[in-house]
Amino acid sequence: MSSASGTSPLAQRDFRLLFGGSTVSAIGDQFTLVALPWLVLKLTGSPAALGLVLATMALPRAAFMLIGGAVVDRLSPRRVLLAARAANALLVSLLAALVLGGAVHMWQVYVLALGIGLATAFAYPAGSAMLPQLVPPAQLRPANALFMAMRQLSMLVGPALAGLLIGTGAHGAHGGVADATGLGLAFVVDALSFVFSLISLAMIRVHGDRHPRVSDGGVLANVSAGIRAVWADLPLRAFVLYAAVVSVFVGGPIQVGLPMLADTRLDLGAASLGILMTANGGGMLVGSMLSGIAAKLVGNRLGLMVLGIDSLAGLALAALGLDHSTLTGAALLATTGILGGIVQVTIVSWIQHRVAPEMMGRTMSLLMFTFMGLGPLSAAVAGSLLKLISLPALFAGAGLMLSAIALSCMVSPALRSIGTPRRAPAAG
């Protein structure tokens, strides 16, 4: 993939280090994303406990995500990212040791989930703010495209490998926990991936380390300025609010529902969960490749495209409630992945063209907050709902709610106007 200047971002040494370390770390993350829900279900058998663990991880992430965006706008993103990934490496290593040592208890899982969520709140905005320091402006677009493709490939490869690894150790139990050997090894893989990422980050040298940016006022004032800037931009404000509603009503039920679907209704156990997540990641990879074609077809009617795609994705999610086959579930999740990949790439590109560079960290942290902060919070509610309603009813309700929200929002002029490339004025 070439930039406008005719060279690839991979020709830059520091970009190669960041890209290589992030690739290994992203694949490792998928091992924990598969293993952690499985561990909770094997310890408790309770969807409510699973929802509470996800919420415990999401609470600090939601509370500190906006602060993280302001911190990395003020300090060196590389140093913030180093500290965050070092903390994650320590926490995941401790979880692996507890599982393999047969000494893991739910209170420990809650504490570690809390710490992982807090570190992630700083890692995500730091990573997004670091890229412009490593490549010239002409290479930013292909560099972003490489990272998007890498993330989707990690979702394609990682969950399948994690499911196989956990399944291989399915007969190893420590401390009364079924599948403990496979689960512990999955956490070990993630911990080692963090170590690899730390080594690559330590080798990077960027100007921002010696001359961090100076912002007026304190961190909270910077956060407030970022929120005001987004609020003043009507189409951007409308999309962030829409994304928040979708995350609350749909994200949580899906996070709790998929592990429960694999555990109670599908035929391959943990491998089924890995296959479902892999299918979704593969679909998102295809969708990201199709996003350019989709953007050209819709022109400035990006808002209508997003709402139309979400209405179709809702129907596919509702159909999961009737699924008893891993193959059928994978097909449905691949479909939603394709649709989601198109939306993700086109929306991020629109925001990057619309928002002033000095506000990018805070704007992206606010967008990340809506997806990664609010969604898991609703998982606690979804887990409790499964005590009262069936799993098919949960999927049907979540999917039909997504379709209804998307269709009803088509009458909103602000959402329909998404697609204009106006650059928002900087604030704070």
Side-chain angles (χ1 to χ4, degrees), residues 67-117:
I67 293 176
V71 167
V72 299
D73 273 345
R74 296 169 62 94
L75 305 176
S76 161
R78 187 187 74 95
R79 290 176 177 168
V80 174
L81 189 58
L82 265 170
R85 288 189 173 171
N88 272 327
L90 179 62
L91 293 168
V92 176
S93 296
L94 182 56
L95 183 57
L98 290 171
V99 173
L100 290 175
V104 65
H105 301 284
M106 277 305 300
W107 71 266
Q108 298 163 334
V109 175
Y110 288 126
V111 171
L112 293 173
L114 190 72
I116 291 170

Side-chain angles (χ1 to χ4, degrees), residues 224-302:
S224 178
I227 294 174
R228 288 198 305 270
V230 171
W231 191 259
D233 186 336
L234 184 58
L236 184 56
R237 179 211 310 175
F239 175 75
V240 170
L241 292 175
Y242 169 76
V245 171
V246 170
S247 294
V248 168
F249 283 97
V250 178
I254 297 306
Q255 288 185 53
V256 173
L258 284 184
M260 288 299 299
L261 179 69
D263 190 33
T264 62
R265 304 188 69 186
L266 301 185
D267 49 346
L268 300 177
S272 287
L273 179 58
I275 291 170
L276 293 180
M277 295 176 68
T278 298
N280 187 250
M284 292 191 73
L285 174 61
V286 174
S288 66
M289 295 170 63
L290 297 175
S291 62
I293 298 174
K296 290 180 180 179
L297 290 175
V298 301
N300 289 332
R301 298 182 296 275
L302 177 58

Side-chain angles (χ1 to χ4, degrees), residues 37 40-52 256 260 263 383 387:
V40 174
L41 290 177
K42 293 305 173 184
L43 282 171
T44 67
S46 169
L50 173 57
L52 187 56
V256 173
M260 288 299 299
D263 190 33
K387 294 181 178 179

